[in-house]
Amino acid sequence: MKVVANTREAQGSGASRRLRRADKVPGILFGGKSEPTPIELEHNPLYHALRVESFHSSILDMELDGKPERVLLRDVQWHPYKAQVMHIDFQRVAADQRITLKVPLHFVNQENSPAVKLSAAIVGHVMNELLISCLAADLPEFIEVDLTNLTPGTTVFLRDLQMPKGVTPVLHGKENPVVATCTVPGAVEEEPAAEAAPAAVAPAAAPAAAAKKPEKK
C-alpha cells in the first residue's frame, strides 16, 4: 500500500492544531540511519487506509517529498470521541534488518472441523494477533490457524501453529500460550477420582479418673 507524505517544517502544538484544521495529520518518520523526520499527511486518505487490516501489518511504500521510503506503521493516536487521526508514527525498514511486529491471526476451516460439525462445539479465539520477528521480505499480512482437524475438548497452543518461512514468534522462555479452545455445550468434564482418605482413627477413650483415697484423720 502507498502513503504520500511531506516533510513538516513547522512544529509544536500550535502548528499541529493548524495542520488538523487544514485536514492534515502531523506525524514522525524514524529509524534507519537518518534522523527522525517530522511529516504531514492528508487526513481522509489516511483515515480510510487505517480501516484496512493489512495497512497495520504490511510494509508500506511511502512517497516522502517525491522520494520512496519503505516503512511500517508503528503508532496511531485518535481523537477521544471524533473519527479523527491526531498523530501517526512510521518506522523506516531496511531489507537486512529483522523487524518485530504484531500480525493478525486468521482462523480457517472452523465450520468444517469434527468438533463443530459433529459435536456443535463452541470455538473460542483466545488470541487474535501474534507478535513475530522476521525480515521485511518475509513479513506476512496474517498468520493462518487451520482448525480442520479440531476435535471436541481440544486446546490449540501457539507451538501447534505452522509459522511461515522466516517468521519466528516472539516468546518468553518456554511460554506456549493458548490460541483457541473448544468446548461442547452441556458436556460435563469428568474429574479424576480423589484418592481415598485414610480412615480416621477414633481417639482412645480417656482413662477413668482414679478414685480418690479417703483422707486419714
Side-chain angles (χ1 to χ4, degrees):
M1 299 183 68
K2 187 175 181 179
V3 184
V4 179
N6 292 299
T7 302
R8 174 164 49 103
E9 299 297 337
Q11 299 182 47
S13 56
S16 294
R17 284 194 295 269
R18 288 191 293 272
L19 277 176
R20 296 184 188 110
R21 285 197 294 267
D23 290 329
K24 294 186 177 181
V25 180
I28 195 80
L29 174 62
F30 64 92
K33 298 180 181 179
S34 304
E35 292 293 323
T37 305
I39 60 175
E40 60 184 59
L41 306 89
E42 294 290 338
H43 181 273
N44 288 345
L46 177 63
Y47 172 81
H48 291 294
L50 285 167
R51 301 180 68 180
V52 179
E53 182 185 66
S54 59
F55 190 81
H56 297 257
S57 58
S58 301
I59 304 296
L60 307 173
D61 295 315
M62 176 178 283
E63 182 182 307
L64 178 60
D65 298 332
K67 298 179 181 179
E69 295 268 9
R70 302 198 76 200
V71 303
L72 279 173
L73 173 64
R74 278 309 189 186
D75 188 50
V76 183
Q77 296 176 22
W78 295 86
H79 192 279
Y81 55 88
K82 295 181 182 178
Q84 181 182 9
V85 185
M86 301 295 287
H87 194 276
I88 193 162
D89 294 353
F90 293 97
Q91 179 185 357
R92 295 182 180 91
V93 175
D96 59 348
Q97 179 184 3
R98 292 186 72 86
I99 55 178
T100 301
L101 187 70
K102 286 184 177 180
V103 297
L105 298 178
H106 284 190
F107 295 84
V108 299
N109 299 321
Q110 176 174 308
E111 298 302 321
N112 297 323
S113 66
V116 175
K117 288 184 70 175
L118 304 179
S119 303
I122 297 174
V123 180
H125 300 168
V126 179
M127 296 177 63
N128 291 307
E129 59 184 10
L130 177 64
L131 185 64
I132 63 169
S133 173
C134 64
L135 294 174
D138 297 326
L139 178 64
E141 290 186 9
F142 59 86
I143 292 177
E144 188 175 276
V145 183
D146 190 355
L147 301 178
T148 301
N149 299 316
L150 190 67
T151 55
T154 301
T155 300
V156 181
F157 293 93
L158 178 58
R159 298 189 190 277
D160 297 328
L161 305 187
Q162 184 67 40
M163 291 292 121
K165 180 182 177 182
V167 175
T168 304
V170 178
L171 300 175
H172 303 286
K174 296 182 179 180
E175 182 183 2
N176 188 22
V178 174
V179 175
T181 59
C182 178
T183 56
V184 178
V188 178
E189 296 184 1
E190 294 185 3
E191 296 183 359
E195 294 182 4
V201 179
K212 291 185 177 181
K213 293 183 180 180
E215 296 181 357
K216 292 183 179 179
K217 293 183 180 180

